[in-house]
Amino acid sequence: MPNHMINRRALLRAGILTGGLLTGVASASTAVFARTAQPANGTAPDQRPATPDQAWATLREGNRRWVDGTATHPHQDIDRRREVAQKQDPFAVVFSCIDSRVSPELIFDTGLGDLFVVRTAAQTIDPLVTGAAEYGPAELGTPLVVVLGHQRCGAVTAAAESLHEHKKLPGELDTIASALRSAYKRSGGDIDKMIRINTIDVVKQLKKDKLFVPRIAKGELKVIGAYYSIDTGVVTRLV
Ligand SMILES: [Zn+2]
């Protein structure tokens, strides 16, 4: 591992090398990155999950606490704010809907500096959103991307009604309906099926992302799809 690569990562985590977003050349291994990412002051008892499977296990454990009503609200105090003030080291990207009932930090019982969160209506995707999802894995070695659909998604429901009635939604809302057209056609009008199909579609799209492909091949990154139940709080993996 050339020293300059490690140094570049340290600078990126500190937000100093903003130009890194444009160059996209970071290739240091996740393992090395993880070793350099110990808690700054030793106050955090946990270590950042270094692999895709460890990251998913941590999210699952957090979700279990959320479901059971035993959330610990980690990393939400002044010490944590100080710890991450000069660098960030999130272990996952969660790409979810804007729905106010699907807040990733809450439903995975995480805190400050733990997650990159990307949110659009019905977690629909375009190049700008893809860039936001790329940032963590490509520049900081974030090992996991979770695309999270959810029960009773209003955006999916509105899109399905619009497509069914051939009635355009106002403003840019119609762009969301257009993005969901393919999922609508394959769902047979079943909203919950459409939510799941769309989530899996977005996973497939991200897995083909040119910055993700080599990382996935090396086992440094996983892109997975999951479904959140608003009724129970449970996150279930789809793909
Ligand atoms: Zn939604």
Side-chain angles (χ1 to χ4, degrees):
M1 177 60 55
N3 281 336
H4 73 274
M5 298 297 280
I6 296 168
N7 292 340
R8 183 174 182 278
R9 289 223 152 177
L11 291 170
L12 281 164
R13 285 197 297 280
I16 293 165
L17 273 187
T18 50
L21 268 173
L22 299 175
T23 59
V25 295
S27 61
S29 78
T30 305
V32 169
F33 167 66
R35 281 199 297 275
T36 64
Q38 301 302 318
N41 57 12
T43 56
D46 52 343
Q47 277 193 313
R48 170 194 187 271
T51 69
D53 290 343
Q54 286 171 6
W56 178 235
T58 301
L59 290 180
R60 287 191 65 185
E61 285 162 18
N63 179 243
R64 186 174 296 275
R65 294 193 300 272
W66 166 252
V67 170
D68 293 345
T70 56
T72 60
H73 312 291
H75 297 162
Q76 296 183 21
D77 56 12
I78 293 171
D79 284 346
R80 179 61 167 180
R81 189 176 72 214
R82 288 181 181 138
E83 185 188 330
V84 298
Q86 298 301 323
K87 66 172 180 66
Q88 62 171 330
D89 195 15
F91 64 86
V93 179
V94 178
F95 176 30
S96 74
C97 181
I98 59 168
D99 193 297
S100 63
R101 302 161 295 179
V102 191
S103 307
E105 282 92 346
L106 294 178
I107 69 175
F108 291 115
D109 195 22
T110 57
L112 208 62
D114 289 330
L115 305 176
F116 282 114
V117 175
V118 184
R119 300 182 72 169
T120 66
Q123 69 282 347
T124 44
I125 200 163
D126 72 0
L128 203 57
V129 173
T130 301
E134 282 174 341
Y135 177 67
E139 298 290 354
L140 302 181
T142 313
L144 181 68
V145 177
V146 180
V147 181
L148 187 67
H150 72 96
Q151 183 186 26
R152 237 172 271 133
C153 181
V156 169
T157 305
E161 284 172 5
S162 156
L163 293 164
H164 179 68
E165 293 164 14
H166 302 287
K167 234 166 100 179
K168 276 187 79 166
L169 291 169
E172 291 299 335
L173 291 173
D174 202 58
T175 310
I176 301 167
S178 298
L180 292 164
R181 186 184 302 276
S182 169
Y184 168 73
K185 285 182 180 168
R186 285 174 286 144
S187 70
D190 180 328
I191 299 294
D192 204 62
K193 200 171 167 188
M194 186 172 161
I195 291 164
R196 291 163 192 267
I197 288 171
N198 174 55
T199 303
I200 294 167
D201 282 353
V202 174
V203 170
K204 284 180 184 166
Q205 272 180 270
L206 287 177
K207 276 186 169 177
K208 285 188 271 183
D209 181 82
K210 66 183 176 191
L211 296 187
F212 287 176
V213 166
R215 289 171 174 80
I216 291 170
K218 281 188 230 167
E220 295 173 356
L221 172 68
K222 275 189 183 172
V223 182
I224 70 176
Y227 175 95
Y228 177 69
S229 166
I230 284 178
D231 287 338
T232 65
V234 173
V235 171
T236 310
R237 187 161 169 179
L238 296 176
V239 65

